[in-house]
Amino acid sequence: MSALPSHLELVQGVVLPKPVGADPVLDFVNTRSDWTTRGPARTEWLTSYEAFLIWNSYVGLVPPATVFRLIEQAGGKPTEATRRLHTTLEFRTELYDVLTGQATAESFEAVALVIERASGRRQLVLSDDGPVWELPEDLALPLDNLALLAGELLTGPSRAHVRMCPGESCGWLFLDPRGRRRWCSMATCGNRAKVRAHAARAR
Ligand SMILES: [Zn+2]
């Protein structure tokens, strides 16, 4: 087997991009390449509902034990799992447009609706550390959990620090609170730009 590029990682049989967004919501929108188009990506990492679950575990959003049980649930409800993945990818596109200030009124409404629904599904339960918000453990959990975090990002102070990578065919998002970062990753876009600049000097 050939080695994976350094910005990718093989996780439980699924190839996933390493997180570079400094925020899980931004890493979620970075699960496809090529945000210069809204059509199908050249590389899509969320290729199945199971891959989406494994990504959630990889970035620490959903505990591995929960992911394990949800993979079992999804196995028994393949049609629902496929529908959930579809909804997730739609939300990702609309959220990208909201985060980058390109959203139409319709996309914004669609994003708001997903976040509001997720908010309404929360249950206040008593844990060992006191009352906490929890989502029911069903196939809607991973998207609802992301939607709640997206709601916090959109209404919180971090939103002002969201930057878009200017790399060719990239458009990935990351947080840049100190205003020092240009590329999503030096290993990919930063390096490509360096190579191009070098080639231009050599001509
Ligand atoms: Zn980039």
Side-chain angles (χ1 to χ4, degrees):
M1 210 178 93
S2 61
L4 275 177
S6 64
H7 66 288
L8 301 177
E9 193 157 340
L10 185 65
V11 187
Q12 292 176 256
V14 178
V15 175
L16 295 172
K18 289 183 185 166
V20 296
D23 183 292
V25 174
L26 302 182
D27 284 316
F28 167 60
V29 303
N30 297 345
T31 51
R32 60 160 284 173
S33 71
D34 253 323
W35 272 119
T36 40
T37 167
R38 295 295 176 276
R42 207 177 320 163
T43 309
E44 172 62 69
W45 285 283
L46 303 184
T47 50
S48 67
Y49 182 79
E50 284 74 12
F52 175 49
L53 284 174
I54 291 167
W55 176 83
N56 271 276
S57 165
Y58 174 54
V59 298
L61 284 177
V62 180
T66 306
V67 164
F68 182 80
R69 288 192 295 271
L70 289 178
I71 286 177
E72 275 195 344
Q73 273 196 36
K77 298 175 185 165
T79 312
E80 189 191 337
T82 305
R83 187 168 54 81
R84 295 278 175 205
L85 175 70
H86 193 80
T87 310
T88 300
L89 299 184
E90 261 177 22
F91 177 69
R92 189 181 61 180
T93 303
E94 281 151 353
L95 178 62
Y96 183 88
D97 286 344
V98 171
L99 283 165
T100 55
Q102 306 176 70
T104 59
E106 288 77 16
S107 318
F108 181 79
E109 286 296 318
V111 166
L113 194 64
V114 173
I115 295 172
E116 288 161 9
R117 275 195 190 137
S119 194
R121 284 206 342 124
R122 292 182 312 172
Q123 302 161 334
L124 194 62
V125 297
L126 199 54
S127 78
D128 293 343
D129 303 324
V132 288
W133 289 111
E134 252 182 28
L135 286 163
E137 195 175 286
D138 57 24
L139 297 188
L141 181 146
L143 176 57
D144 283 349
N145 184 45
L146 266 167
L148 292 175
L149 292 171
E152 283 170 25
L153 176 63
L154 288 171
T155 56
S158 292
R159 186 173 53 96
H161 305 303
V162 175
R163 296 283 174 275
M164 189 197 295
C165 177
E168 209 180 322
S169 307
C170 185
W172 272 16
L173 304 182
F174 52 85
L175 283 189
D176 181 24
R178 285 174 300 168
R180 285 192 194 155
R181 205 172 147 185
R182 181 158 162 81
W183 309 105
C184 62
S185 145
M186 277 316 291
T188 53
C189 290
N191 201 37
R192 272 199 291 273
K194 217 158 61 186
V195 169
R196 254 199 317 275
H198 183 81
R201 273 197 304 274
R203 269 199 298 272

